Amino acid sequence: MGFNMTKTEKLAIIDVKAELKLLPMVLHAVREVSQKYGLEEKYARDLELATEEACHNVIEHAYPDNEKGYYQVEIHKEPTKFVITVKDQGIPFNLNLLTDEQPTDLGIKIMRAYTDEINSKYLGKEGKEVELVKYLPFEPIEEPEHPIEEELLAPKSEEISLRIMRPDETVALARCIYKVYGYTYPHEDIYYPQKFSSLIESGLVTSCVTVNSKDDVIGHLGVFLENPDDLVGESALAAVDSRYRGRGIFPKMKNLMMEHVQKKGLLGLYSRAVTVHVASQKSNVKMGAKETGFVLAHSPPTAIFKKMEASSGSNRRTVALFYVPVAPDPGHNVFLPLKHGDILKKIYNHGELKRTFNQSSNEGLSFHSQIHSHLLPEMSSAFLRVNKFGIDFLDELKLQVNDLCYRHVELIVLDLPLSDPATALLCPEIEDLGFFFSGLMPEYLDGDALRLQYLNNVIFNPEDVQVYSEFGKDIFSYVVEEWKSKNYY
């Protein structure tokens, strides 16, 4: 694609017989490899201790009665974290114990104490896996010694300029974000300059900044990729210093990023516009972006927008989904669920996206599903994307939903590939689990994605939502009716 991206690095894969005498070799590898690739000694030791408990659990309990068995330990590094995955094909273990709020098992307590995140799942006939995550340590931006005072508008004669952001400007960016949002912006990465620099260097984030005559960052817009191979990015983290509002900075930054990512091979940008006011929705429409859906109760009510009026409240806030192409539409074959076919065709037509609508067929499925899960604890949200359907899909989805609800995750977003006929066939059964229609994500899953969502004991009031355009109001009404059909209210 052209981005200088660093994909997830698989550093080591160890297949080992489930015997205690071989465990020191595994632990030595975890410690040495993680330190060689940038993890400080004390954090490498934490990861080693957690891995010891996970492996010991397999050795002691996965293969009873002297049954010979093996397990696999995989070490890989991502831009902001190290991950150890322990897989085995032994006797099933109650993975829900790993997420108990008050675990009684000492080994689980140790794993929880020495990691930042634990993920686990069943793999059908391939057994089960436990994923131990240790975030790379980054220093947060320091609290200003004195509160940043409200300032008058900057002179309109002052020159400002736009350019692509450098990785060494993340401290200046964090200060700009602080002026706009305080410490309330939902994605915490922005408050860790070193961490955000790492994301830029990896290619998962590309940003542009607006700077003033003193070279201070007074505006920012980023494009975020979840995976290096994604063909669409999210336009997010838009901020303009209140002293420089009214100069059309946001449209200029959006134009710059659209041109930049088009040269890098992306097909389009999607964005999420807040609905506590219509300003950001209006800006998206003026830039040629089209509404494709709404995520109800998307984020906690923490973000503030200085110098902008917004209704207050304690409920989660809804966002409008927008998409704008930056390259010629390649066209796709899609399989639409019968229930949502009309609204999806309206969205395609409004967005001027050419699609061929195919009839679903009951094609054979592989055994294993592939569901990618991205948990955002600070937002009490989880984003699931289906990369492949298998005959175990509904069972696997039920397990993940039950686990997330048990952990009090309030919002679950599920993206299904419309290029796969299984999406149309399985959609009714997925919605029987409590999911409901949220919108369309063009070019999101090697084609397009149908977005569904699930709310877990969340208060939502449609009257709190402000929608800018008439087409947006039509989509919002459809989503609300689908929400009501689940007896959430």
Side-chain angles (χ1 to χ4, degrees):
M1 275 176 44
F3 275 107
N4 180 21
M5 295 179 181
T6 303
K7 295 185 178 183
T8 298
E9 292 184 86
K10 288 187 178 181
L11 304 178
I13 298 177
I14 307 167
D15 289 299
V16 61
K17 191 174 182 181
E19 293 184 352
L20 279 174
K21 62 184 179 182
L22 297 177
L23 182 55
M25 176 197 71
V26 175
L27 301 179
H28 177 78
V30 169
R31 182 177 65 252
E32 290 297 310
V33 170
S34 59
Q35 284 188 248
K36 293 287 186 184
Y37 281 83
L39 197 60
E40 294 180 21
E41 182 179 357
K42 62 179 179 179
Y43 298 113
R45 177 60 177 163
D46 289 347
L47 199 54
E48 178 188 2
L49 290 171
T51 304
E52 181 177 11
E53 291 302 322
C55 295
H56 194 273
N57 185 64
V58 171
I59 295 167
E60 289 294 312
H61 304 294
Y63 301 102
D65 302 324
N66 297 318
E67 177 186 352
K68 292 183 180 180
Y70 292 80
Y71 64 100
Q72 183 182 87
V73 177
E74 180 180 301
I75 309 169
H76 71 264
K77 180 186 178 184
E78 297 182 19
T80 62
K81 61 188 177 183
F82 274 87
V83 182
I84 306 295
T85 304
V86 180
K87 302 179 183 179
D88 73 86
Q89 290 183 286
I91 189 169
F93 172 73
N94 184 4
L95 296 178
N96 286 331
L97 295 175
L98 295 172
T99 55
D100 276 347
E101 291 188 6
Q102 295 181 330
T104 57
D105 182 85
L106 179 59
I108 293 175
K109 288 181 179 179
I110 291 174
M111 281 190 280
R112 294 267 290 274
Y114 288 104
T115 59
D116 296 308
E117 185 180 325
I118 298 178
N119 300 307
S120 59
K121 65 179 179 180
Y122 301 101
L123 304 173
K125 291 184 179 180
E126 293 184 9
K128 59 186 180 295
E129 70 176 28
V130 173
E131 189 179 75
L132 307 170
V133 179
K134 191 70 178 178
Y135 291 116
L136 291 167
F138 296 103
E139 294 297 324
I141 183 175
E142 296 181 0
E143 183 88 38
E145 294 182 7
H146 305 288
I148 298 177
E149 298 178 356
E150 296 293 337
E151 299 180 56
L152 298 175
L153 289 176
K156 292 210 171 180
S157 58
E158 182 182 7
E159 290 188 7
I160 59 175
S161 58
L162 281 70
R163 54 176 168 76
I164 298 300
M165 181 180 170
R166 303 188 306 266
D168 63 357
E169 294 181 297
T170 51
V171 173
L173 171 60
R175 293 185 64 81
C176 176
I177 297 301
Y178 177 86
K179 294 186 73 172
V180 177
Y181 296 101
Y183 279 116
T184 65
Y185 197 79
H187 295 291
E188 294 183 348
D189 290 351
I190 191 61
Y191 298 111
Y192 292 82
Q194 290 176 300
K195 189 174 185 180
F196 203 70
S197 293
S198 178
L199 290 171
I200 293 174
E201 291 168 352
S202 74
L204 293 175
V205 175
T206 303
S207 293
C208 75
V209 291
T210 304
V211 296
N212 62 13
S213 57
K214 298 179 181 178
D215 211 32
D216 296 328
V217 173
I218 53 98
H220 173 268
L221 181 65
V223 172
F224 295 72
L225 299 178
E226 187 175 334
N227 293 308
D229 295 328
D230 287 348
L231 292 176
V232 292
E234 180 185 9
S235 172
L237 198 55
V240 176
D241 188 316
S242 61
R243 297 171 299 165
Y244 294 86
R245 287 200 178 123
R247 298 194 187 189
I249 291 176
F250 172 75
K252 292 175 183 176
M253 292 193 296
K254 191 71 175 273
N255 275 327
L256 175 60
M257 291 310 298
M258 289 171 64
E259 293 174 2
H260 184 73
V261 300
Q262 192 273 336
K263 293 176 182 178
K264 298 298 185 180
L266 264 64
L267 296 176
L269 296 175
Y270 73 92
S271 58
R272 295 173 283 189
V274 296
T275 60
V276 292
H277 54 72
V278 299
S280 54
Q281 297 173 58
K282 185 177 180 180
S283 295
N284 273 282
V285 171
K286 286 187 174 182
M287 292 295 300
K290 308 291 187 179
E291 300 93 330
T292 65
F294 287 82
V295 180
L296 309 185
H298 172 271
S299 53
T302 52
I304 59 173
F305 303 88
K306 296 180 180 179
K307 298 288 187 180
M308 296 184 72
E309 293 184 5
S311 59
S312 60
S314 58
N315 296 339
R316 293 175 66 97
R317 293 174 173 174
T318 294
V319 296
L321 303 175
F322 283 86
Y323 176 76
V324 59
V326 299
D329 177 27
H332 293 293
N333 295 321
V334 293
F335 299 86
L336 305 184
L338 180 62
K339 180 180 179 182
H340 306 302
D342 288 343
I343 189 67
L344 287 169
K345 288 177 181 178
K346 288 181 181 178
I347 296 172
Y348 278 126
N349 183 61
H350 185 68
E352 300 178 358
L353 300 172
K354 299 177 182 179
R355 297 295 183 265
T356 300
F357 305 114
N358 293 336
Q359 295 293 322
S360 298
S361 58
N362 193 7
E363 298 181 0
L365 298 175
S366 61
F367 185 82
H368 293 300
S369 303
Q370 292 180 2
I371 306 176
H372 178 267
S373 176
H374 182 50
L375 180 65
L376 295 175
E378 70 275 12
M379 294 180 65
S380 190
S381 303
F383 292 81
L384 311 180
R385 53 195 291 180
V386 177
N387 295 324
K388 185 174 74 172
F389 286 100
I391 60 175
D392 65 341
F393 173 74
L394 289 172
D395 290 334
E396 174 65 22
L397 182 61
K398 288 176 187 176
L399 283 172
Q400 294 213 26
V401 170
N402 289 337
D403 177 60
L404 292 168
C405 289
Y406 181 80
R407 296 161 71 174
H408 305 293
V409 172
E410 295 179 334
L411 168 70
I412 305 173
V413 171
L414 176 65
D415 292 314
L416 307 168
L418 286 170
S419 59
D420 193 323
T423 288
L425 293 171
L426 293 174
C427 188
E429 294 182 79
I430 296 170
E431 291 186 89
D432 285 343
L433 299 179
F435 286 91
F436 60 94
F437 180 89
S438 183
L440 172 70
M441 303 293 288
E443 305 294 352
Y444 193 62
L445 289 177
D446 193 24
D448 301 334
L450 170 67
R451 173 158 286 189
L452 305 178
Q453 70 174 106
Y454 180 105
L455 296 178
N456 178 27
N457 295 319
V458 173
I459 297 174
F460 169 68
N461 182 2
E463 300 299 322
D464 294 337
V465 176
Q466 298 185 40
V467 182
Y468 171 66
S469 75
E470 291 303 316
F471 184 76
K473 291 174 183 177
D474 289 343
I475 302 178
F476 180 66
S477 296
Y478 186 90
V479 174
V480 169
E481 288 304 311
E482 290 298 302
W483 165 75
K484 288 181 177 179
S485 72
K486 301 303 175 186
N487 298 315
Y488 277 120
Y489 66 105

